[in-house]
Amino acid sequence: MEPIVLNKEIIMVLAMIGLAVFLFIVEWIRVDMVAILMTVLLPILHLVTPKEAFSGFSSNAVISIIAVIIIGAGLDKTGLINRLVQPIVKLAGNSASRVVIAMGGTVAFISSFMQNIGAAALFLPAIRRVSKSMHLPLSQMLMPIGFCAILGGTVTLVGSSPLILLNDLLTPFGLEPFGLFDVTPIGLALVVGGIATFIFLGRFVLPKGKPESKQETDAGHGPAYEDLGEIFELQTPPNFNAFREPLTVKHLRDRHQINAVAFSGRDRLKMMTLPPDFEIRSDGHLAVFGKKENVAAMAEEHGMILKDGLQIFKDNLAPETAGIIEAVVAPRSELIGKTLREVHFWEQYQVNPVAIYRADQVFYSGLSSMKLRSGDSLVLEGPWDRFKILEEKHNFIFTTPVGEVMKPEKALLAGFWLVVSLVMIMAFDIQLSVSLMTGAFGMILCRVLSIDEAYQSVDWRTVFLLAGLIPLGIATEKSGAAAWIAHTVLDLIGDVSPVGLLTAIAVLSTFFTLVISNVGATVLLVPLVVNMAMVAGTDPRMAALVVGLATSNSFILPTHQVNALYMGPGRYRSVDFMKAGGLMTIVFIVVLIAMLVIFYGV
């Protein structure tokens, strides 16, 4: 094959790739906006036709992603997945190793048929419950199980976005597509390898952590948050405001680490949510949340009367009416990068933030001015009905159930339509998107989900990211940029064995997925590595498969959605992911290449 000459068109495509990667890294705009930018710029620059620019939105991969998300939402809505938890917990006994094996294997299995972030979110409350009941450190369990959720995405061709996308990227080369379970032997080996790594080496790389208190995990004002305090009621004297500067909720939190959560004035009108600038007034009744010694010191300093128990707020703050709950900022929450004050959190949601856990730090003051991050854990106080509304916004993932209206009577129907989809793929060789959309439509038709719930469950950010980057892959191949890069790289590294080339591709894919999205890495790398393999005389399908699998090798940094989700509840630091994730990254590449040699005879 003659070398490709660098021309104007190739230079423009390389510039577009560089721009996309740069914007992915600096995050000046969201990743889906980067993809949309590519969709607009490529046809304007005549690098693709307008039809090719928007072909991603009708691609098999995008439709499959939408259908998989809807099917996963239906399984979640019926509680079918949650039914697996109790027998798994019984099987695990009281051993941390057995818990990791049982729950890690289960979450990996679930993740092989639905988005791994969804599987990880489903198991978060269960893992906390097991940690507390067995008096085991949560930090010893969350990371291994979270890694299993990521690894589970490699078990089937619908387990992760890169694998769903893979066949579409192979089509321009005329290569044979992969079947639903062609990757299963490799994926299972990766899951087993991941679990074994933590069983035998976890004690050296996982943070020690402190065992959770052995207590019930039902939300409420009980001992679940005894380290933060409990509810007290105080009364302010008639002349409280006469000779002092105004005393605000923010002042109480900053000076005494006490959260004022309710106030009733002379008019007996009760305010159950108090924003930071709310002023405590004379002759009123104040409910606060904090440690007893802090509340007593605050009452003495400001001349308040500390009551023996709840009186005015007895009914409003009863455990069956209100309580304390922990909520994790979801990976795609619209609150990320914003402060509680900016979003008018108190007025909009009518619940009170008590503390924010970020990695291994806990913040009691300055909550209203902290910019939220994915994985932050907020301890919130408020009425259960308000938490239900907050949960429906999908900005938070609650670590204990709020009481969602489930449809357990539809569980068999949800399972039936999942099986129908899989049978259509395996037995009748019907296209992936058609089979999965049949299952999704069947769930809606049988009212497992309403059509509105199906629309709401779809992560449109992922859809636009995937659809918007597909034309960049088309331009990379069509312009000859992929072939030019392939020749250039191979000229630099010289002759290399097939195993050596695939190992280099695995390392390159791992690096790319750490700095840009796994979808972006797949779209950019598949045309490149297929050309490299053709030039080097290696099987191009195997090169593409390495990219599809290795883009799930995202453990070193807490940038993956699952890692970000578990970072707050596990009180992990970035260095914890570097230690455990670094080891897991090496194991991943070794197992991947070994299975390609053993199973595919590379």
Side-chain angles (χ1 to χ4, degrees), residues 80-91 103 106 110 122-123 125-127 129-130:
L80 187 62
I81 302 301
N82 289 331
R83 292 186 181 185
L84 296 173
V85 174
Q86 290 184 350
I88 294 301
V89 170
K90 291 180 180 179
L91 177 66
M103 298 192 76
T106 304
I110 296 169
L122 283 174
F123 269 72
I127 300 168
R129 191 158 59 247
V130 170

Side-chain angles (χ1 to χ4, degrees), residues 232-244:
F232 297 92
E233 187 173 315
L234 306 99
Q235 183 172 357
T236 58
N239 61 346
F240 185 73
N241 296 105
F243 307 104
R244 67 168 69 240

Side-chain angles (χ1 to χ4, degrees), residues 273-516:
T273 308
L274 305 181
D277 56 357
F278 180 83
E279 296 181 6
I280 311 301
R281 298 188 289 268
S282 301
D283 198 19
H285 304 271
L286 178 68
V288 300
F289 183 84
K291 295 182 178 179
K292 187 173 183 178
E293 58 269 25
N294 292 350
V295 175
M298 183 268 292
E300 182 177 357
E301 179 177 334
H302 297 288
M304 299 183 189
I305 302 170
L306 180 59
K307 302 180 184 181
D308 293 334
L310 294 178
Q311 298 175 10
I312 301 297
F313 301 102
K314 183 178 180 180
D315 295 331
N316 306 92
L317 297 177
E320 61 271 14
T321 305
I324 308 293
I325 201 167
E326 186 172 354
V328 181
V329 179
R332 296 184 181 89
S333 171
E334 61 186 17
L335 304 181
I336 293 174
K338 300 177 182 177
T339 66
L340 297 178
R341 187 187 299 275
E342 287 174 347
V343 299
H344 305 287
F345 188 83
W346 289 264
E347 296 83 358
Q348 183 176 1
Y349 299 113
Q350 297 180 31
V351 296
N352 296 293
V354 173
I356 294 180
Y357 286 94
R358 176 172 292 170
D360 60 341
Q361 294 180 294
V362 56
F363 299 90
Y364 300 101
S365 59
L367 307 185
S368 59
S369 58
M370 287 181 62
K371 288 190 175 182
L372 297 179
R373 301 177 185 174
S374 175
D376 283 350
S377 289
L378 277 70
V379 179
L380 305 173
E381 186 281 335
W384 299 128
D385 58 348
R386 300 307 306 180
F387 287 135
K388 176 61 182 167
I389 295 174
L390 183 59
E391 186 182 38
E392 291 174 350
K393 297 287 186 179
H394 301 294
N395 287 317
F396 294 98
I397 297 171
F398 289 91
T399 60
T400 50
V402 180
E404 181 181 1
V405 179
M406 306 292 285
K407 295 182 178 179
E409 71 279 3
K410 300 285 187 178
L412 290 179
L413 284 173
F416 169 76
W417 285 109
L418 172 62
V419 172
V420 167
S421 298
L422 298 179
V423 169
M424 290 176 66
I425 298 169
M426 294 182 292
F428 299 100
D429 197 26
I430 297 176
Q431 186 166 295
L432 188 66
S433 56
V434 176
S435 302
L436 294 173
M437 191 55 74
T438 300
F441 180 75
M443 288 190 179
I444 297 170
L445 194 65
C446 294
R447 299 185 179 179
V448 174
L449 289 169
S450 69
I451 185 65
D452 290 332
E453 288 172 331
Y455 287 142
Q456 291 168 6
S457 69
V458 175
D459 179 12
W460 296 106
R461 178 175 176 174
T462 298
V463 170
F464 274 86
L465 172 63
L466 184 58
L469 287 180
I470 284 177
L472 184 57
I474 295 174
T476 303
E477 175 57 27
K478 181 180 175 182
S479 66
W484 181 84
I485 296 173
H487 278 281
T488 303
V489 171
L490 289 175
D491 287 342
L492 289 174
I493 63 177
D495 292 334
V496 64
S497 67
V499 171
L501 179 62
L502 294 182
T503 302
I505 292 172
V507 173
L508 182 65
S509 303
T510 299
F511 170 76
F512 263 72
T513 200
L514 290 176
V515 295
I516 65 176

